[in-house]
Every structure is written in C-alpha cells, then in structure tokens.
Amino acid sequence: MELSKKMQDALNEQIKEEMASAYIYLSMAAYCESINLSGFASWMQAQSNEEMAHAMKFYGYINERGGRVVFEALEQPPVEFAGPVDVFEKTLAHEQYITGRIHKLYALATEEKDYASLGLLQWFVDEQVEEESTAGEILDMLKMTGDKGQGLFMLDRHLGSRE
C-alpha cells in the first residue's frame, strides 16, 4: 500500500525538521568550540549526526513506500548562546518540540489507518523519550555544577566521551 499524499507530505516535513535539528546542533557545537568546551562540541556533533540519521530513516521509508522525497529550505540556526546552560535549555526545548511533532505524525498515521507508518513512528516515539531524558539529565548536571569551574570541566570531559 502506497503512502497517502497527506502522510507523504507530513513525513517530508519531518525530514526537514530532522535536518534542521542536525543544523541547530552543529551550530551549538560550533558555539561550544568557540568557548573552549570541546567535549560539549563533540557531544553536539554526535547529536547532529544522529539527527541526520533520523532524517535518512524517514527518507528511506518514504522511498520504500513508493512515495517521493521533496526537500525544503532550512533556516539559519541560532549562533549565539548565553552559555552551556542556555545551550542545554534550548536542546531540551527543541527535543520537546520534536516529540510533539512525532506525536502529531503518529496521530495522523492512526487517522489514516496507515499501520506501516505506525511501526516506524513508534520507534521515534521511543527515541524521543531517550532524547528528552538525556538532555534533561545534562541540563540538571549543568545547573548543579554551574557554567564555570571544575564541575564544568569534568562534565565537558564526560560529554566528550560520547561515541
């Protein structure tokens, strides 16, 4: 069964959102590099790569279902932040935004009785639980350690170990 036009359009929009997420996280990585937090930058680069992998998962799925992938322009991501706490506040808020989008896609697939898409989207629902949890944990650690000092240095080293 082919994708409906409505579902195809919504999935294409999600490809754009996933690519925009990758772009945002890469901009955050560049900011972190600029303030000598290479571990934070490394973590954000890995996050950017993960978001591109998500976009490609939707890309492959649309093609597999006989649909057509259409790319839209991306906006410039933010480039300035007030510090590492601000970076992770924005990261958590962005992941919550993406979670909302995934839930809307799931609702659309349910409405369309597109059971194949429900399977794909359940993977993303589960992934977003992990994404929000991780961003929230890092934000909590940052709030405990603050934007300066030994705690920040240790957290930077910890984040730099992400594969």
Side-chain angles (χ1 to χ4, degrees):
M1 178 173 139
E2 257 186 46
L3 282 173
S4 71
K5 171 88 168 100
K6 192 173 183 181
M7 196 71 208
Q8 176 182 283
D9 291 348
L11 293 172
N12 271 314
E13 181 65 27
Q14 192 60 33
I15 289 174
K16 176 186 173 187
E17 292 292 339
E18 299 292 340
M19 290 181 147
S21 297
Y23 208 32
I24 289 165
Y25 292 136
L26 204 51
S27 183
M28 289 175 169
Y31 167 77
C32 291
E33 286 285 359
S34 78
I35 60 170
N36 298 314
L37 291 174
S38 60
F40 279 78
S42 176
W43 192 93
M44 285 297 174
Q45 287 170 5
Q47 191 67 20
S48 176
N49 291 340
E50 191 174 294
E51 300 304 336
M52 280 303 295
H54 293 170
M56 294 308 296
K57 192 170 185 114
F58 282 113
Y59 176 96
Y61 180 77
I62 291 170
N63 285 318
E64 187 175 31
R65 292 284 308 278
R68 172 79 199 282
V69 173
V70 178
F71 295 108
E72 297 179 28
L74 301 177
E75 293 180 22
Q76 179 181 0
V79 296
E80 296 299 331
F81 303 91
V85 170
D86 184 42
V87 167
F88 273 91
E89 285 174 343
K90 286 180 170 56
T91 297
L92 179 57
H94 184 73
E95 290 301 336
Q96 291 167 337
Y97 165 74
I98 294 297
T99 297
R101 290 195 50 85
I102 296 295
H103 289 176
K104 286 179 184 171
L105 282 170
Y106 195 94
L108 176 61
T110 301
E111 175 187 310
E112 298 265 317
K113 295 184 174 143
D114 183 346
Y115 303 112
S117 291
L118 286 173
L120 170 79
L121 293 167
Q122 185 60 56
W123 184 90
F124 280 98
V125 168
D126 297 341
E127 176 70 6
Q128 284 308 117
V129 170
E130 180 186 327
E131 297 281 3
E132 284 188 34
S133 175
T134 301
E137 287 172 12
I138 295 168
L139 180 58
D140 288 345
M141 285 188 268
L142 268 168
K143 287 180 176 179
M144 283 188 276
T145 62
D147 272 359
K148 296 176 179 59
Q150 187 176 8
L152 182 62
F153 174 75
M154 291 173 66
L155 187 54
D156 185 60
R157 290 192 70 192
H158 171 69
L159 293 179
S161 68
R162 178 181 181 188
E163 304 250 339

